[in-house]
Amino acid sequence: MSTRKPLVALLSGAGISTDSGIPDYRGPNGLWRRDPQAEKLVTYDAYMSDPEIRRRAWRMRRDSTTWRAEPNAAHHAIVRLERAGVPLRVITQNVDGLHQIAGLTPRKVLELHGTARTAVCTECGARTPMAEELERVVAGEEDPACRACGGILKSATVMFGQRLDPAVLADAVAITKGCDVFIAVGTSLQVQPAASLVGLAAEHGARLVIVNADPTPYDALAAELVREPIGTALPALLAALAEG
Ligand code: ZN
C-alpha cells in the first residue's frame, strides 16, 4: 500500500541562481534598484519612449553573462524530485530559464516575471527566441524591430511599471492554495505579489519551509527555516522529501 505523495510547490528567487553566476538584479537590494541609470533600462515607460534606452538595453542583453550560465546543484536537485515522482510545481521570480535548462518539464515552471530567453513585440505580441534577436544586434541592428509589424521589441520579462501576467499569477495562487508543502528558496520575500504567496500557503495549511541565508518577513510562519547554503541544503531537503 502506498501513501499519497505530498504536492510540492517551490518558489524560487534570485538566491537559487547566484551559484550559477547570475547576480540579483531586481530584488530590493538588487543591481537595478541601486543604479537609477540601469533601472531605466528595465522600466517600461523609459524603454518605450527613448530609443537610446533601448539601444543600451540591447547592448546589455547582448553582453549578459546569463547566456553562459549553467544550472547548479539546487536546480538539478529539483529535477531529481520531479523524476522521483513527487508532484511538483515551481513558481519562479527568476527570468533566467535555468529550471527548464536543468531538465524540469517546462509546463511545471511558472515564470512570474517572464523570461529573458524570449523576445516579445510590444505592438503585435509576436514572440521569438531572444537568441535570434541578439544575432541581429551582433550583426549591427542597434534596436531591432519586430519582423512581423515593425513594432518595438523587448525581452519577455515583466519590466518595472508592467503588471504580472494575470493568468500566470492566478495559476500560482491556485498551486499555492492546493499544495501540501511550500518551499521558498533563495528569495528575500520582499517583492510582491510573490512574497504574499508564502502567507497564502501557510493560511491554506501547507507546511512552509524557507531556505534563505537571511531572515525574511515570513519566517515566523515557517515550520522549518534553513540558513545553510542553498547548493547543499536544498539537495538534502529534497532528497528527504522524495523518500517520503
Ligand atoms: Zn510585432
Side-chain angles (χ1 to χ4, degrees):
M1 200 177 110
S2 67
T3 51
R4 185 178 75 88
K5 298 214 179 201
L7 300 173
V8 177
L10 187 144
L11 172 69
S12 67
I16 202 169
S17 290
T18 47
D19 281 352
S20 295
I22 297 175
D24 180 4
Y25 289 106
R26 64 179 299 149
N29 300 306
L31 292 179
W32 287 336
R33 288 297 190 193
R34 282 186 278 122
D35 179 350
Q37 283 309 310
E39 188 173 338
K40 275 192 191 162
L41 304 181
V42 289
T43 299
Y44 189 74
D45 286 347
Y47 187 89
M48 294 302 288
S49 62
D50 186 344
E52 177 53 24
I53 295 281
R54 292 201 293 280
R55 289 192 285 268
R56 285 175 51 204
W58 281 108
R59 289 197 293 273
M60 174 185 73
R61 292 174 192 133
R62 179 196 65 194
D63 299 338
S64 172
T65 55
T66 297
W67 318 125
R68 293 195 303 270
E70 297 197 349
N72 63 55
H75 297 105
H76 292 306
I78 297 168
V79 176
R80 282 199 299 276
L81 187 67
E82 184 192 13
R83 291 186 182 159
V86 174
L88 166 75
R89 295 296 294 272
V90 170
I91 303 164
T92 188
Q93 296 172 277
N94 300 338
V95 298
D96 55 38
L98 289 182
H99 287 297
Q100 296 93 319
I101 291 173
L104 204 62
T105 305
R107 65 177 174 78
K108 297 207 174 162
V109 185
L110 278 178
E111 295 172 308
L112 287 176
H113 295 149
T115 175
R117 293 186 187 268
T118 299
V120 64
C121 175
T122 56
E123 204 61 50
C124 73
R127 293 168 75 89
T128 46
M130 178 58 79
E132 273 178 26
E133 305 307 340
L134 290 179
E135 277 173 24
R136 298 171 66 189
V137 177
V138 170
E141 288 184 68
E142 292 191 294
D143 179 20
C146 173
R147 281 189 158 131
C149 79
I152 293 174
L153 292 181
K154 65 184 281 295
S155 75
T157 51
V158 177
M159 286 184 165
F160 295 122
Q162 281 191 293
R163 286 193 320 171
L164 270 61
D165 181 335
V168 172
L169 188 58
D171 270 358
V173 166
I175 290 161
T176 299
K177 286 180 176 174
C179 71
D180 301 304
V181 181
F182 188 100
I183 309 173
V185 184
T187 166
S188 58
L189 300 177
Q190 290 175 47
V191 176
Q192 296 297 353
S196 63
L197 294 174
V198 174
L200 193 63
E203 218 172 275
H204 284 261
R207 176 183 161 79
L208 176 62
V209 182
I210 295 178
V211 185
N212 199 53
D214 301 311
T216 82
Y218 294 90
D219 285 1
L221 297 177
E224 192 176 343
L225 282 175
V226 181
R227 297 273 183 246
E228 282 76 41
I230 294 168
T232 48
L234 193 68
L237 184 81
L238 299 188
L241 252 185
E243 282 163 20

